[in-house]
Amino acid sequence: MPSVPAPNPALDSLPELLRIMDVATALRQQREKAAVQLDLEQTKAALQKRLRATADTMGDAVSDAEIDAAIDRYFGQLYEFKDPPPGLQRFLAHLFVRRGLVLTVLLLAGLLTFSGYWLFTSASSPWSPSAKQAHMAAQRAELQTRVKRHLDASFEKFVNLHTSVLGLARQADTTAEVDALRREAEAARASGLGAAIDQARTKLDALRADLDDDYELRVISRPNERSGIDSYVNDRSRQLSGYYLLVEAVTASGAVLNRRVRDAEQNQTVQVRKWGEQVPKEVFDRIAADKKADGIVDEIVFARKRRGYRGEEIVMPLTPGGPPLRRGRQITSNL
């Protein structure tokens, strides 16, 4: 037997059936109205026909262009949006519409806030107080290391020079002076005074140069050149009278050296190639007679400067075979 569908109580009631039909009719009318509203060009065309017919019936001389302009103005003013009054709902609506921009701004603000916090407060930030203190401490440590390296290098140079000078020195007082400079450099190193070490090394270097010199002070014995000055008789322009032998410093190879001499007349130290050494009259007369005999001076050596010794040693005797002279004044001008 064919199956019989089960009865539906809702459809068996006439009022319910009529209510459903009313709902369906309302939905159909709304769809038709929406379709008409959406098909704007069709609606405008229908309205233009009606207005054209109405104008013709009433005898109005209205052109199609004027009808179209009126229709456009009508539809342009038909839907006009007015912003609702200010309030929370309006504010929230604007936020929702601009949610992308608002979210971007919030993310950027959060990123900037986090970056600022990290840069200025985080211990791992290079701009934080702790990082700045660590950087300053590292700079101080680096500076101290560089200063120590400079001190060590300067002191090492001094020690090398000190060893060299000790090897040259042949007099006890010179050795004592060299050791005193060594103690001065050690104290400067302990105090971190690199400039003081350099000054001590400069003094030691000057001492080494002095010890390294090896030459003789010889009476000038060249033809047509004076070997002495008798300022009592021959040179009335001298400020200090006396008898002077003219000498120069000559190395074993024959080179003439420039020397620093304390000029008694000028009362200052000058650098010259020849100068006058004061001697007693009997020595001056003896050398003068020596040169007058054959034009040259046989007793030529006045003093010697030996390598390893500080000063010049007078070797010319007061009398032949006697003790050396005692050194007098030196002059350097008008020779």
Side-chain angles (χ1 to χ4, degrees):
M1 294 179 62
S3 60
V4 179
N8 189 338
L11 297 179
D12 292 343
S13 174
L14 182 60
E16 290 295 331
L17 181 61
L18 292 176
R19 188 175 66 82
I20 292 173
M21 291 179 66
D22 290 340
V23 171
T25 301
L27 290 174
R28 178 180 58 77
Q29 291 175 349
Q30 290 178 358
R31 285 197 300 271
E32 291 176 353
K33 184 177 180 181
V36 171
Q37 294 292 336
L38 291 176
D39 192 0
L40 185 59
E41 294 301 326
Q42 182 179 353
T43 302
K44 286 183 177 181
L47 184 58
Q48 199 272 348
K49 289 180 180 180
R50 292 177 60 186
L51 290 175
R52 179 78 271 169
T54 301
D56 292 342
T57 301
M58 297 178 64
D60 288 339
V62 180
S63 65
D64 292 340
E66 290 174 337
I67 293 174
D68 291 337
I71 293 173
D72 290 338
R73 185 167 59 252
Y74 167 75
F75 278 100
Q77 298 176 352
L78 183 61
Y79 300 104
E80 182 179 357
F81 174 76
K82 292 184 179 181
D83 206 3
L88 179 62
Q89 291 183 345
R90 173 181 167 180
F91 175 73
L92 293 176
H94 280 288
L95 286 181
F96 179 77
V97 171
R98 296 173 175 84
R99 58 188 179 276
L101 177 62
V102 172
L103 182 60
T104 301
V105 171
L106 291 176
L107 288 176
L108 288 176
L111 179 61
L112 291 175
T113 301
F114 174 77
S115 299
Y117 172 81
W118 180 80
L119 287 174
F120 296 102
T121 61
S122 175
S124 59
S125 168
W127 292 351
S128 66
S130 58
K132 290 180 179 179
Q133 292 176 358
H135 180 65
M136 293 176 62
Q139 285 184 326
R140 286 194 297 269
E142 182 182 357
L143 179 60
Q144 291 173 354
T145 300
R146 291 171 57 186
V147 170
K148 186 177 183 304
R149 282 201 300 263
H150 176 72
L151 287 173
D152 292 343
S154 296
F155 188 73
E156 183 179 359
K157 292 178 181 178
F158 179 89
V159 169
N160 293 335
L161 183 59
H162 176 267
T163 302
S164 174
V165 175
L166 280 182
L168 281 174
R170 294 292 181 268
Q171 295 171 297
D173 58 343
T174 303
T175 302
E177 184 176 351
V178 172
D179 289 338
L181 288 174
R182 169 69 180 259
R183 290 190 295 271
E184 182 180 329
E186 289 175 345
R189 183 191 187 190
S191 302
L193 302 176
I197 297 178
D198 294 338
Q199 290 175 0
R201 189 171 76 247
T202 299
K203 296 177 184 177
L204 191 61
D205 192 53
L207 178 56
R208 181 202 58 77
D210 190 14
L211 293 175
D212 202 41
D213 282 335
D214 194 300
Y215 57 86
E216 290 181 344
L217 293 186
R218 298 178 184 176
V219 178
I220 295 175
S221 183
R222 291 182 287 271
N224 302 320
E225 189 171 349
R226 291 188 297 184
S227 298
I229 294 176
D230 176 2
S231 64
Y232 286 107
V233 178
N234 298 326
D235 194 349
R236 300 296 182 182
S237 65
R238 305 229 68 87
Q239 297 180 23
L240 297 175
S241 61
Y243 299 93
Y244 297 91
L245 296 180
L246 302 186
V247 302
E248 57 190 2
V250 184
T251 66
S253 63
V256 178
L257 305 177
N258 288 320
R259 303 303 300 165
R260 295 182 64 81
V261 176
R262 183 70 182 181
D263 190 312
E265 292 182 325
Q266 302 180 52
N267 195 27
Q268 64 180 359
T269 300
V270 294
Q271 184 165 301
V272 291
R273 288 174 63 88
K274 70 176 181 178
W275 65 95
E277 289 280 350
Q278 185 184 21
V279 296
K281 182 178 185 304
E282 55 265 39
V283 175
F284 181 85
D285 291 340
R286 186 173 77 238
I287 299 302
D290 183 5
K291 186 172 184 179
K292 186 177 181 180
D294 55 4
I296 61 173
V297 178
D298 295 320
E299 192 180 354
I300 196 172
V301 179
F302 178 79
R304 288 193 180 95
K305 166 60 179 71
R306 292 182 292 169
R307 189 170 185 269
Y309 291 84
R310 289 294 302 274
E312 297 158 347
E313 178 186 4
I314 306 299
V315 297
M316 181 171 288
L318 178 61
T319 59
L325 297 171
R326 294 184 61 181
R327 196 164 200 173
R329 297 188 295 262
Q330 290 83 43
I331 58 175
T332 64
S333 58
N334 300 323
L335 302 181

